[in-house]
């Protein structure tokens, strides 16, 4: 373990503030990172204090003045080199993600692959930051719109994807000529420090201005500084709906821009015309992947009454084959929850299910004994419920799957949409009419709607995000880059007169 930490430049005590290639010893509270895999302390981090934060903001502002003058393809070249460094560090960074966060090694590697993929996407984007030319109603005039960088982008990321979400934001923002200040989750600070060391090599070799990509480790207080800082043009925050409402209110109060990626309460509809074999795989990974700690985790299965008992039986049989244990061992499907608070939330949710009249089709519980010493390993469980139960309306970040019956597709869609969140959704059906209905304006109200794949595992090529209490933000692919820029409409008069729009006459 110590070998790969050393290779990632993780020491016993780490500086938690960086402006790119330079690191600073701040006087904020010390963060101790312990692994949910075995309960052992990995290392500690000195978090950011207000004086250091203000210095980072000033450095970022100064860097922006130069960075915005670099041609976009040249900025893309920096991201290309970062992608190559990530390729070289994929195995050890993936291992750190798995060990510090607790997700399976395959998922840890997959998260680093997402970073590599978004680097490739950003590289191509650097030559495609297009505007549009429009015909003017005035003779001798030309109109067009173009996009300019916003300035400083604040990034607040969550523990469950400790590196990928940062890359979604920062790689796109940097190609758009923005500069970034990243506050990672205090539950996974070492992953962020490893990433900063990786990119600092590229920055140094290319003489990137100090302050283009900054790190401010810390807890809630640091996030509040970012949200309230008027010099930060855009705040991208990933986390709970409660956190997002606080960030949105603070940023909105100063008329800043926010990009919110918040809670999910994702459902899969299982039609009686579904291929149950592929539906089973999609539901299983969606529900237990990352131990139920993805914002796109499948929380609810809405199953047609004609196949309900058959599919429930298949599902329970599959759950009983799951291997729970050390996520760094490839044979295990499910690792631990992030910490004891997450375990308490899991247990409380199970109690609420029982109190509110739900039936546990497959019981949960905490695992103990050899290999489970951290106290963070729990059993994925299944509950039969109705959608109107209070506990079902909330997102529990744990492997608890709810089963709900339906009779008609209209009813199923109504059930799916009848929660405050609107992130990811899916239907399994071989019926074209059902699929198209689900994807139509009277179908899913989520930002992501899939057919014959699960709710989890989005590709970087599409814009990622959701509606309602999920926050409305969009990150990653498609034209999500536009949120990191300001649109400007330009009109050029190349005639020898000055006609006004709408035919207005103004003479003196």
């Amino acid at each position: 373990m110590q070998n790969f930490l050393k290779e990632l430049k993780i020491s016993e005590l780490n500086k938690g503030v960086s402006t790119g290639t330079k690191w600073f010893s701040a006087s904020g509270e010390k963060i101790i990172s312990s692994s949910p895999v075995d309960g052992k302390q990995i290392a500690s981090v000195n978090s950011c204090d207000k004086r250091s934060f203000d210095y980072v903001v000033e450095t970022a502002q100064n860097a922006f003045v130069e960075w915005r003058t670099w041609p976009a393809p040249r900025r893309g070249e920096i991201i290309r080199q970062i992608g190559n460094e990530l390729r070289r560090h994929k195995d050890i960074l993936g291992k750190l993600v798995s060990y510090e966060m607790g997700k399976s090694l395959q998922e840890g590697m997959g998260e680093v692959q997402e970073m590599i993929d978004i680097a490739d996407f950003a590289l191509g984007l650097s030559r495609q930051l297009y505007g549009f030319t429009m015909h003017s109603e005035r003779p001798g005039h030309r109109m067009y719109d173009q996009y300019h960088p916003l300035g400083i982008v604040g990034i607040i990321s969550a523990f469950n994807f400790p590196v990928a979400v940062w890359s979604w934001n920062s790689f796109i923002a940097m190609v758009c000529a923005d500069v970034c200040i990243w506050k990672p989750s205090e539950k996974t600070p070492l992953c962020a420090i490893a990433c900063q060391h990786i990119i600092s090599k590229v920055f140094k070799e290319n003489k990137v201005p100090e302050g283009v990509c900054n790190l401010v480790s810390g807890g809630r207080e640091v996030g509040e500084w970012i949200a309230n800082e008027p010099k930060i043009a855009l705040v991208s925050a990933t986390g709970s709906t409660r956190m997002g409402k606080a960030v949105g209110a603070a940023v909105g109060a100063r008329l800043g821009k926010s990009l919110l990626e918040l809670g999910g309460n994702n459902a899969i509809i299982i039609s009686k015309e579904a291929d149950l074999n592929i539906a089973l795989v999609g539901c299983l990974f969606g529900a237990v992947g990352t131990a139920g700690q993805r914002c796109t985790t499948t929380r609810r299965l809405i199953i047609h009454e004609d196949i309900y008992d058959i599919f429930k039986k298949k599902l329970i049989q599959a759950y009983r084959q799951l291997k729970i244990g050390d996520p760094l061992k490839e044979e295990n499907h499910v690792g631990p929850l992030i910490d004891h608070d997450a375990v308490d939330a899991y247990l409380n949710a199970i109690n609420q299910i029982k109190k509110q009249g739900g039936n546990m089709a497959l019981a949960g519980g905490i695992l103990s004994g050899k290999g489970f010493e951290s106290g963070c390993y729990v059993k994925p469980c299944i509950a039969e419920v109705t959608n109107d139960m209070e506990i079902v309306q909330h997102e529990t970040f744990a492997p608890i799957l709810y089963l709900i019956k339906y009779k008609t597709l209209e009813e199923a869609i109504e059930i799916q949409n009848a929660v405050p969140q609107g992130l990811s959704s899916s239907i399994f059906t071989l019926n074209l009419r059902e699929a198209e209905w689900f994807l139509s304006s009277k179908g899913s109200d989520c930002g992501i709607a899939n057919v014959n794949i699960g709710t989890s595992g989005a590709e970087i090529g599409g814009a990622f995000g959701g509606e309602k209490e999920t926050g409305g933000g969009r990150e990653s692919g498609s034209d999500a880059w536009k949120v990191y820029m300001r649109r400007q409409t330009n009109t050029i008069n190349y005639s020898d007169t000055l006609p006004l729009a709408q035919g207005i006459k103004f003479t003196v």
Side-chain angles (χ1 to χ4, degrees):
M1 193 65 65
Q2 292 304 318
N3 288 337
F4 85 80
L5 291 176
K6 185 177 180 181
E7 194 170 343
L8 290 168
K9 299 184 180 179
I10 303 294
S11 55
E12 188 175 337
L13 176 61
N14 301 271
K15 296 176 181 178
V17 179
S18 172
T19 53
T21 65
K22 297 178 181 178
W23 292 82
F24 303 91
S25 294
S27 60
E29 185 179 349
K30 184 186 291 185
I31 302 171
I32 296 174
S33 177
S34 297
S35 172
V37 174
D38 54 20
K40 294 178 181 178
Q41 180 177 326
I42 310 171
S44 58
V45 178
N46 280 331
S47 61
C48 188
D49 56 47
K50 187 60 166 65
R51 183 178 177 182
S52 300
F53 177 79
D54 290 341
Y55 177 76
V56 167
V57 172
E58 181 183 356
T59 306
Q61 271 195 305
N62 293 335
F64 174 62
V65 173
E66 180 182 346
W67 183 241
R68 65 187 176 184
T69 67
W70 285 37
R74 187 180 173 196
R75 298 192 300 263
E77 168 62 16
I78 301 301
I79 303 302
R80 184 191 69 81
Q81 292 180 36
I82 290 174
N84 285 342
E85 284 299 309
L86 289 169
R87 286 178 173 89
R88 283 190 277 273
H89 290 84
K90 179 178 176 179
D91 289 349
I92 55 173
L93 183 57
K95 189 178 290 187
L96 176 61
V97 169
S98 179
Y99 187 59
E100 188 177 31
M101 185 268 147
K103 63 175 60 176
S104 73
L105 184 59
Q106 287 190 48
E107 291 182 81
M109 298 292 184
E111 184 168 349
V112 180
Q113 185 61 50
E114 273 196 48
M115 302 174 78
I116 295 166
D117 293 343
I118 201 71
D120 288 348
F121 182 90
L123 171 61
L125 180 64
S126 70
R127 293 182 182 271
Q128 300 180 79
L129 299 172
Y130 300 134
F132 296 94
T133 298
M134 295 153 281
H135 290 279
S136 173
E137 67 182 64
R138 290 166 285 187
H141 285 60
R142 181 168 70 88
M143 293 179 65
Y144 68 93
D145 64 13
Q146 62 177 328
Y147 291 85
H148 295 304
L150 289 172
I152 303 177
V153 173
I155 302 167
I156 302 172
S157 61
F159 73 86
N160 59 331
F161 280 83
V163 294
V165 172
W166 163 72
S167 70
W168 290 2
N169 284 274
S170 62
F171 293 0
I172 301 296
M174 284 192 284
V175 158
C176 292
D178 294 315
V179 298
C180 302
I181 299 176
W182 179 24
K183 190 208 90 67
S185 170
E186 60 271 33
K187 296 182 180 183
T188 51
L190 303 181
C191 288
I193 288 171
C195 288
Q196 192 75 5
H197 281 303
I198 289 170
I199 66 173
S200 67
K201 178 178 181 289
V202 175
F203 286 180
K204 188 174 182 179
E205 291 173 349
N206 291 272
K207 296 180 180 171
V208 172
E210 196 70 22
V212 166
C213 197
N214 306 272
L215 176 67
V216 286
S217 304
R220 177 176 177 175
E221 188 177 39
V222 179
E224 290 173 347
W225 295 339
I226 289 175
N228 288 290
E229 176 51 63
K231 294 172 184 173
I232 296 178
L234 169 69
V235 177
S236 174
T238 304
S240 68
T241 297
R242 177 188 56 78
M243 180 276 290
K245 287 180 177 179
V247 169
V251 177
R254 59 179 176 84
L255 296 181
K257 297 177 183 290
S258 58
L259 190 170
L260 301 175
E261 296 288 358
L262 311 176
N265 196 345
N266 315 296
I268 295 178
I269 296 171
I270 309 294
S271 166
K272 64 179 179 180
E273 297 187 55
D275 180 329
L276 297 188
N277 291 325
I278 68 165
L280 183 64
V281 175
C283 295
L284 192 63
F285 177 74
V288 307
T290 325
Q293 297 172 112
R294 291 182 175 221
C295 53
T296 54
T297 290
T298 304
R299 309 285 174 199
R300 298 172 295 145
L301 287 189
I302 304 166
I303 309 169
H304 193 278
E305 60 182 5
D306 288 357
I307 58 164
Y308 181 88
D309 290 334
I310 295 170
F311 196 74
K312 181 178 79 169
K313 184 178 179 181
K314 285 178 175 287
L315 197 63
I316 291 172
Q317 288 174 343
Y319 264 59
R320 286 176 173 155
Q321 296 175 51
L322 291 172
K323 294 179 181 177
I324 307 168
D326 183 344
L328 274 75
K329 295 180 178 178
E330 291 191 15
E331 66 267 21
N332 290 327
H333 302 101
V334 183
L337 294 179
I338 186 65
D339 56 24
H340 293 148
D341 288 342
V343 174
D344 290 342
Y346 161 85
L347 293 175
N348 179 63
I350 291 174
N351 288 333
Q352 289 301 314
I353 291 166
K354 294 174 181 176
K355 283 183 181 179
Q356 294 172 28
N359 171 56
M360 298 306 299
L362 186 67
I366 304 174
L367 293 168
S368 59
K370 187 176 181 180
F372 305 121
E373 290 85 357
S374 70
C376 295
Y377 292 87
V378 301
K379 299 176 184 176
C381 60
I382 302 172
E384 296 177 284
V385 300
T386 56
N387 200 64
D388 58 356
M389 290 180 184
E390 184 181 358
I391 188 63
V392 179
Q393 292 289 306
H394 297 282
E395 178 189 42
T396 302
F397 233 47
I400 301 174
L401 181 62
Y402 301 121
L403 305 188
I404 303 166
K405 286 183 183 179
Y406 81 90
K407 292 183 179 180
T408 67
L409 182 60
E410 186 174 16
E411 179 192 8
I413 292 172
E414 183 179 347
I415 291 169
Q416 186 218 267
N417 293 345
V419 292
Q421 309 83 1
L423 179 52
S424 188
S425 59
S426 179
I427 186 171
F428 278 88
T429 182
L430 300 179
N431 184 308
L432 180 61
R433 288 179 175 174
E434 287 188 332
E436 291 294 338
W437 185 351
F438 179 75
L439 298 178
S440 74
S441 60
K442 62 180 181 179
S444 170
D445 66 359
C446 295
I448 299 170
N450 299 325
V451 175
N452 293 329
I453 64 169
T455 60
S456 197
E459 294 184 36
I460 61 95
F464 181 90
E467 302 301 321
K468 301 188 293 189
E469 287 193 0
T470 302
R474 293 297 186 275
E475 296 171 328
S476 192
S478 186
D479 66 348
W481 61 272
K482 291 179 180 178
V483 77
Y484 303 96
M485 306 195 84
R486 58 182 176 88
R487 182 194 295 249
Q488 184 181 79
T489 301
N490 307 115
T491 306
I492 300 169
N493 178 6
Y494 59 90
S495 73
D496 56 3
T497 61
L498 189 63
L500 301 177
Q502 294 83 47
I504 295 173
K505 304 293 184 182
F506 186 82
T507 58
V508 178

